[in-house]
Amino acid sequence: MDRRARFACIACRRLKRKCPKELPSCSLCLRLEKRCEYPPRARNLHENTSHESSTSSESSNREANLQLSSDPPTELHSVFRKGAVPGRGDIYAFPAMYFLDSEVCIKPLSSDSAQPVIPTPPSNGLSSEVLMVCEKYFSTIHQWLPILSKKRVRRHMAENGSAPDDPSHLLFLCMKLVSEPHPPEIPARANKTYMRVLETILRVENSRLPCLQLLQSVILISIYEIGHAIYPAAYLRVGHASRLCIMMGFHDRKHATQLFKDTVTWTAREEERRAWWAVFCLDRITSHGINGLPLSTPEPSPGELLPCPESPWNEGGVGFNEPLFAASFSNNTSLGSFANVCQAAHVLGRVLRHRSDLHNSSVDLSFRIAEARQLHQILASLSTHLSDVSQGSSCLGGSTSVSLALCFSARLMLYDIYACNEKYSTDHGRSSEEAEMQREAVAGIFEVVECIWQLARQILDSSHPDGEDELSTLSPILCYCLYAAAGESEWLLLEQENSSAGIWLRDIVRLLRLIGERWQVGGVYLSEIYTWPGYQSSVRL
């Protein structure tokens, strides 16, 4: 019988040498008079492979167990205790070796997504409050942020939604937080539900293992904070969500270390994918108005899959996913509206990095101009594609308007870099490429501001004066785009006394007021706009 271990000993692995794997000690360790120990992988890693065990692995596990039993019980060893089931217990079951030496712990935890699927409980198995919150959430926030699976939310709520320290209960509170209207006279920080959510997330993180529902909850909290301009909490919260995603390996399924075993259903995997893309988008959205801060989420690989279309996702079926393409955008109507948001956020991230590199002396000027021209062409193509898609959309307040807003914001950000004469150095002459880019930037500003006004006009025309339903589906993510367009409209009004610019500015302010009735960030932008001299001129026109 072959008396060899299945894996290299700890000493050989750390010294990057080939281990002969003899038991009970390898010959290399014996020759160097080193202590030889084998990791107890066969029992604690819970790999997706077969459950066969050989005599050699059993021997190595017995040796490791003897060593662990002689040590005092600590959090580090709690995952190896008899009866501990990683992924199903409390936070003390988290393997610290995942961070201390990830080669020892590969996919050590079993997430709820990897558990056997049970039928979705009937609606009458949920409380009236849960049913009301779910209905409100999926008819409002879900329209422009479709990251939750309806059937999985119902199942989790029915199983564990009443436990105060369970992630399902936290997710329920977060759904309630973002879907219920907030009284404008009360500061958003003082919202009782918000304070309760902050207390609950602290309790959950200190008692439960990290999971997808915790990540989804952090995403919804960040939406509330972004929507009500609670800074710097919103910026830090998105960073928190980014760290959770990266820790769990959602950002790179092929190459990053994975914390969880693979999911067993397509719906669970799609929900993970949508959570990652939501964090990716929010990371770029919170970097809109501030320059120089690095993004917390890495760029996706070119073959990264986009979310599936909304129809199968909302109906609880199985959809298909297409890869991300950043260089070209065809009139592919098979992409869902949330996938279009992800595409727009991806290009926005490239513009943010381009803006941050302006003062980087190591970047060649000709390369920077060439990159700017390329981004201009990509954004123009994406704008055309999204505008065509929006023509057939029945709900401009959903993801369709968000994708357009992100694309328009990226274009204005790019054009603002090159349109102003004062931003060019007088020490060196401008190249013909720079001059051409400036002409395209100025023309682009006129075009984009008019497009944003047309989008605002369509949303205003489709909303009723007292229509709470229309108001509830408006996303606060639109606000930065409207604010940037308002600034350009004021500039055009002051420079040229353009009557069209005055109309654009007044309609954009009307839409910001409408959004401000639901999200306080709209009022924050308006308080700044009201101080502009150009706005006072537009009111008198």
Side-chain angles (χ1 to χ4, degrees):
M1 185 178 296
D2 186 12
R3 292 277 295 170
R4 291 180 178 272
R6 295 175 59 193
F7 307 105
C9 72
I10 296 175
C12 289
R13 187 178 64 255
R14 290 184 176 174
L15 293 175
K16 307 296 183 183
R17 67 190 183 192
K18 186 175 181 180
C19 181
K21 302 179 184 178
E22 296 105 340
L23 291 172
S25 301
C26 76
S27 56
L28 287 177
C29 288
L30 290 175
R31 181 161 57 90
L32 297 174
E33 297 182 352
K34 298 286 186 181
R35 183 176 181 180
C36 187
E37 292 180 325
Y38 288 93
R41 292 193 174 195
R43 188 164 62 85
N44 66 27
L45 289 190
H46 295 267
E47 287 288 341
N48 294 331
T49 56
S50 65
H51 300 288
E52 297 177 0
S53 59
S54 63
T55 305
S56 60
S57 62
E58 291 174 358
S59 300
S60 62
N61 284 338
R62 282 196 297 269
E63 292 180 12
N65 289 337
L66 289 174
Q67 176 62 31
L68 289 171
S69 64
S70 64
D71 294 334
T74 62
E75 287 188 19
L76 178 62
H77 293 155
S78 62
V79 70
F80 302 129
R81 292 195 306 259
K82 183 177 180 180
V85 183
R88 299 290 289 175
D90 55 24
I91 191 61
Y92 294 102
F94 189 93
M97 291 304 294
Y98 180 77
F99 284 98
L100 300 177
D101 189 353
S102 62
E103 291 185 1
V104 176
C105 286
I106 305 173
K107 297 184 182 179
L109 298 182
S110 183
S111 68
D112 69 297
S113 302
Q115 303 305 314
V117 179
I118 62 174
T120 302
S123 298
N124 55 18
L126 300 172
S127 68
S128 58
E129 182 185 13
V130 171
L131 289 174
M132 182 178 64
V133 169
C134 288
E135 181 179 358
K136 182 68 174 177
Y137 174 86
F138 285 108
S139 63
T140 56
I141 307 299
H142 185 79
Q143 299 302 310
W144 52 269
L145 190 71
I147 63 172
L148 300 183
S149 164
K150 295 181 181 180
K151 61 182 181 183
R152 281 172 54 81
V153 165
R154 290 198 300 269
R155 175 164 68 86
H156 288 308
M157 297 296 179
E159 291 177 353
N160 308 303
S162 59
D165 63 343
D166 192 88
S168 299
H169 180 65
L170 172 63
L171 182 59
F172 164 74
L173 290 177
C174 293
M175 292 170 63
K176 181 179 180 181
L177 174 68
V178 296
S179 58
E180 63 182 9
H182 179 71
E185 66 275 6
I186 300 177
R189 294 179 186 269
N191 187 340
K192 292 182 178 180
T193 305
Y194 178 57
M195 301 302 295
R196 185 181 176 189
V197 163
L198 295 184
E199 294 173 359
T200 305
I201 192 173
L202 180 62
R203 186 184 305 117
V204 169
E205 289 189 313
N206 285 335
S207 61
R208 296 302 183 101
L209 286 164
C211 62
L212 176 60
Q213 289 173 295
L214 172 63
L215 172 61
Q216 292 168 334
S217 300
V218 175
I219 292 172
L220 295 184
I221 297 172
S222 67
I223 288 294
Y224 177 83
E225 292 168 339
I226 291 171
H228 294 294
I230 305 177
Y231 287 96
Y235 176 78
L236 299 175
R237 194 78 59 189
V238 172
H240 181 190
S242 175
R243 284 293 192 181
L244 280 173
C245 271
I246 294 173
M247 179 185 70
M248 292 188 283
F250 290 173
H251 67 294
D252 190 348
R253 284 286 179 175
K254 293 183 178 179
H255 304 103
T257 302
Q258 300 296 306
L259 181 61
F260 296 116
K261 291 171 62 177
D262 294 334
T263 58
V264 297
T265 65
W266 176 87
T267 303
R269 179 65 189 93
E270 177 68 11
E271 203 168 30
E272 293 175 353
R273 178 180 296 109
R274 285 173 177 261
W276 156 246
W277 275 113
V279 175
F280 178 89
C281 295
L282 292 176
D283 185 29
R284 279 123 186 92
I285 290 166
T286 52
S287 300
H288 263 147
I290 185 167
N291 191 12
L293 295 182
L295 298 175
S296 61
T297 51
E299 286 294 307
S301 60
E304 179 72 24
L305 295 179
L306 291 165
C308 74
E310 271 59 55
S311 179
W313 178 244
N314 292 330
E315 296 170 1
V318 177
F320 60 90
N321 305 88
E322 297 193 15
L324 170 69
F325 295 104
S328 63
F329 302 95
S330 62
N331 292 326
N332 186 352
T333 56
S334 63
L335 283 180
S337 57
F338 188 50
N340 287 326
V341 172
C342 300
Q343 282 188 323
H346 178 225
V347 186
L348 172 61
R350 294 180 60 181
V351 175
L352 289 170
R353 285 192 167 89
H354 181 81
R355 183 181 67 176
S356 298
D357 286 340
L358 284 179
H359 304 293
N360 187 351
S361 59
S362 63
V363 179
D364 183 70
L365 179 60
S366 59
F367 173 81
R368 182 181 295 133
I369 296 298
E371 183 182 53
R373 296 291 299 274
Q374 182 190 46
L375 289 171
H376 163 65
Q377 293 169 1
I378 291 173
L379 286 166
S381 177
L382 179 59
S383 295
T384 302
H385 166 65
L386 294 177
S387 298
D388 292 342
V389 171
S390 67
Q391 297 301 320
S393 175
S394 59
C395 181
L396 281 176
S399 297
T400 302
S401 62
V402 173
S403 59
L404 282 167
L406 294 181
C407 182
F408 292 151
S409 298
R411 293 185 69 180
L412 288 180
M413 189 181 302
L414 178 66
Y415 299 151
D416 184 63
I417 297 171
Y418 297 96
C420 181
N421 283 322
E422 302 299 327
K423 295 183 179 181
Y424 291 95
S425 172
T426 57
D427 298 333
H428 305 283
R430 274 187 288 171
S431 65
S432 59
E433 291 81 4
E434 287 180 285
E436 179 62 26
M437 186 63 212
Q438 184 187 22
R439 286 192 290 271
E440 292 180 354
V442 173
I445 289 175
F446 280 89
E447 177 189 344
V448 174
V449 172
E450 185 173 8
C451 288
I452 294 174
W453 168 72
Q454 290 174 350
L455 174 63
R457 189 69 259 171
Q458 289 175 341
I459 296 175
L460 289 170
D461 292 341
S462 63
S463 60
H464 300 287
D466 299 321
E468 183 179 346
D469 293 339
E470 289 82 1
L471 184 64
S472 299
T473 59
L474 290 176
S475 170
I477 297 174
L478 299 176
C479 289
Y480 179 83
C481 171
L482 296 172
Y483 175 75
E488 300 294 352
S489 298
E490 192 229 9
W491 170 67
L492 293 174
L493 186 61
L494 293 176
E495 289 289 342
Q496 303 178 357
E497 297 184 359
N498 190 321
S499 59
S500 297
I503 296 173
W504 297 347
L505 182 56
R506 289 197 300 271
D507 285 340
I508 289 171
V509 167
R510 281 184 58 199
L511 182 55
L512 275 173
R513 286 200 196 104
L514 186 63
I515 297 176
E517 295 177 15
R518 174 65 177 84
W519 302 99
Q520 293 183 3
V521 67
V524 175
Y525 281 124
L526 285 172
S527 63
E528 178 66 22
I529 293 175
Y530 291 156
T531 65
W532 296 350
Y535 174 73
Q536 303 301 327
S537 300
S538 71
V539 173
R540 292 192 294 268
L541 287 177

